[in-house]
Amino acid sequence: MVEIESERDTMHVILVFSALPTMSTLPDVFTDPEDSQLVAEAKKDKLEDHKFSYTERDVILYNLGIGATAKDLQWTYESHEEFAALPTFGVIPQFAASSGISLGWLPNFNPAKLLHGEQYLAIKSPIPTEGNFVNETRLLEVLDKGKAASVTTIVYTKDLATGNIIFENQITVFIRGAGGFGGKRSGKDRGAATAVNTPPNRQPDAVIEEKTSPSQAALYRLSGDYNPLHVDPSFAAIGGFDQPILHGLCFMGIAGKHVLQSFGAYKDIKVRFSGVVFPGETLVTEMWKIADKVIFCTSDIHFIFRADIKPSFIQPLRQRSGEQRCWPQQQ
């Protein structure tokens, strides 16, 4: 769970393990007796599955978008024997499916008042470096916050051929001015997706510093998020910013990369967005090893970003020209 320490500058983030799903498909409706009639009816509107394909080029483009360099051949050169997608690539295949959901049924809905509040990603299987996938999308939870609505969507990204679940994403958006419709005001415990963890009060066990590029947002947007807020100064000014801001999912990926470099792979990441980063700013990630978790804090002048993870022994699965490489089950 995230704690906001200032209106603009701070976010805390939690990364934790969760078990593999027992279902291979999502239920048609996530019913809840506490839902208002408006929400119950909205949940019945089954969303169409959304197909998505990507190639090694898309993997490289994403890796570059969150700070990989030409020296990181395992992330930027498709012929490298350890070529792989960085773990947070899992937010990419589902993006069009989750962002395309209609929220027009909410009272006083205004898309200009929508904020991306939280993102939870669970890596359920080794990440292919190319393939064809299908996204199953459902409304998971809707909360009436009084002056705002909180809407959480769940997306399973599955291999189109095998049906294996590769990623689970839970995406929460806040819509200002769209509350007052009745029903639930507080969400239920969803395990890792809503877990609370507190960073320790001691010196970190590892630190990584990275300066983002002034062109970071212009590069990251090529992975599918074309919101002009991140590239057009005049549009950013409408939002009250002096310049375009960096995508939240971009600096989430940078922080996740730092943890991967220091402590190895992880299987879950959950973030809450409550501050902004500008392209060109320097990020510093401090990390603490606590039992089987790593808690980290990524910060610059403008924000603090904390998380915790457990290490994972799952390695990427590479599929090219009929070739399949299995992953070791232990180090």
Side-chain angles (χ1 to χ4, degrees):
M1 191 67 176
V2 174
E3 301 173 6
I4 302 172
E5 293 185 355
S6 72
E7 182 178 0
R8 173 177 176 271
D9 300 335
T10 302
M11 71 169 69
H12 294 180
V13 175
I14 304 303
L15 290 80
V16 290
F17 265 164
S18 67
L20 294 177
T22 57
M23 299 187 301
S24 60
T25 189
L26 291 169
D28 288 342
V29 180
F30 282 91
T31 57
D32 190 322
E34 297 182 58
D35 283 339
S36 67
Q37 183 176 354
L38 178 71
V39 173
E41 291 299 318
K43 285 185 174 181
K44 292 178 182 178
D45 187 11
K46 185 176 180 180
L47 302 166
E48 292 186 5
D49 292 345
H50 180 272
K51 293 182 179 180
F52 185 89
S53 299
Y54 65 81
T55 67
E56 292 174 335
R57 179 183 183 277
D58 299 305
V59 169
I60 294 171
L61 190 62
Y62 173 80
N63 291 347
L64 290 170
I66 61 170
T69 71
K71 295 181 179 180
D72 303 313
L73 292 182
Q74 75 276 23
W75 297 326
T76 58
Y77 180 39
E78 69 282 0
S79 294
H80 191 278
E81 63 180 7
E82 296 181 2
F83 176 63
L86 283 157
T88 50
F89 179 81
V91 303
I92 298 300
Q94 64 80 40
F95 185 79
S98 61
S99 61
I101 291 178
S102 173
L103 298 176
W105 50 271
L106 286 168
N108 304 313
F109 173 70
N110 182 345
K113 295 184 177 182
L114 185 149
L115 300 173
H116 187 178
E118 300 181 2
Q119 186 87 19
Y120 169 74
L121 165 66
I123 303 166
K124 300 295 188 179
S125 300
I127 305 174
T129 55
E130 61 182 1
N132 301 306
F133 306 88
V134 62
N135 292 292
E136 295 179 353
T137 308
R138 303 285 189 275
L139 279 178
L140 178 59
E141 187 173 69
V142 181
L143 305 178
D144 182 353
K145 292 295 188 178
K147 295 182 178 180
S150 171
V151 180
T152 299
T153 303
I154 185 170
V155 183
Y156 275 1
T157 299
K158 302 166 66 175
D159 185 287
L160 190 59
T162 67
N164 291 338
I165 300 171
I166 310 299
F167 306 114
E168 174 191 337
N169 278 268
Q170 294 183 29
I171 308 95
T172 299
V173 296
F174 297 95
I175 305 93
R176 293 167 292 170
F181 50 85
K184 295 174 59 176
R185 297 183 68 89
S186 299
K188 292 184 177 180
D189 182 357
R190 301 197 304 273
T194 54
V196 177
N197 292 270
T198 303
N201 184 22
R202 64 174 175 83
Q203 292 297 309
D205 299 311
V207 179
I208 291 182
E209 179 176 321
E210 179 173 346
K211 181 175 174 57
T212 63
S213 165
S215 300
Q216 201 82 54
L219 177 59
Y220 182 84
R221 69 189 299 269
L222 300 181
S223 288
D225 185 348
Y226 297 106
N227 188 334
L229 176 66
H230 306 294
V231 72
D232 184 345
S234 62
F235 195 90
I238 296 174
F241 301 107
D242 296 333
Q243 66 184 79
I245 64 174
L246 193 59
H247 303 72
L249 291 179
C250 179
F251 57 83
M252 165 185 163
I254 293 172
K257 172 165 61 76
H258 291 170
V259 177
L260 175 70
Q261 290 170 316
S262 299
F263 292 98
Y266 49 85
K267 295 175 66 177
D268 297 57
I269 174 171
K270 187 254 181 175
V271 302
R272 182 177 182 183
F273 303 103
S274 58
V276 298
V277 173
F278 294 102
E281 291 184 330
T282 297
L283 303 179
V284 178
T285 301
E286 299 174 306
M287 292 159 272
W288 297 263
K289 184 74 166 63
I290 302 176
D292 59 351
K293 294 183 179 181
V294 175
I295 296 177
F296 71 82
C297 171
T298 300
S299 61
D300 67 2
I301 295 173
H302 293 291
F303 87 125
I304 298 174
F305 178 85
R306 290 195 178 100
D308 99 324
I309 68 165
K310 288 184 178 180
S312 165
F313 299 133
I314 293 180
Q315 300 298 320
L317 175 69
R318 188 181 183 198
Q319 294 177 309
R320 291 184 72 217
S321 304
E323 174 185 301
Q324 176 171 305
R325 296 186 181 182
C326 296
W327 60 100
Q329 295 303 307
Q330 52 185 318
Q331 291 182 325

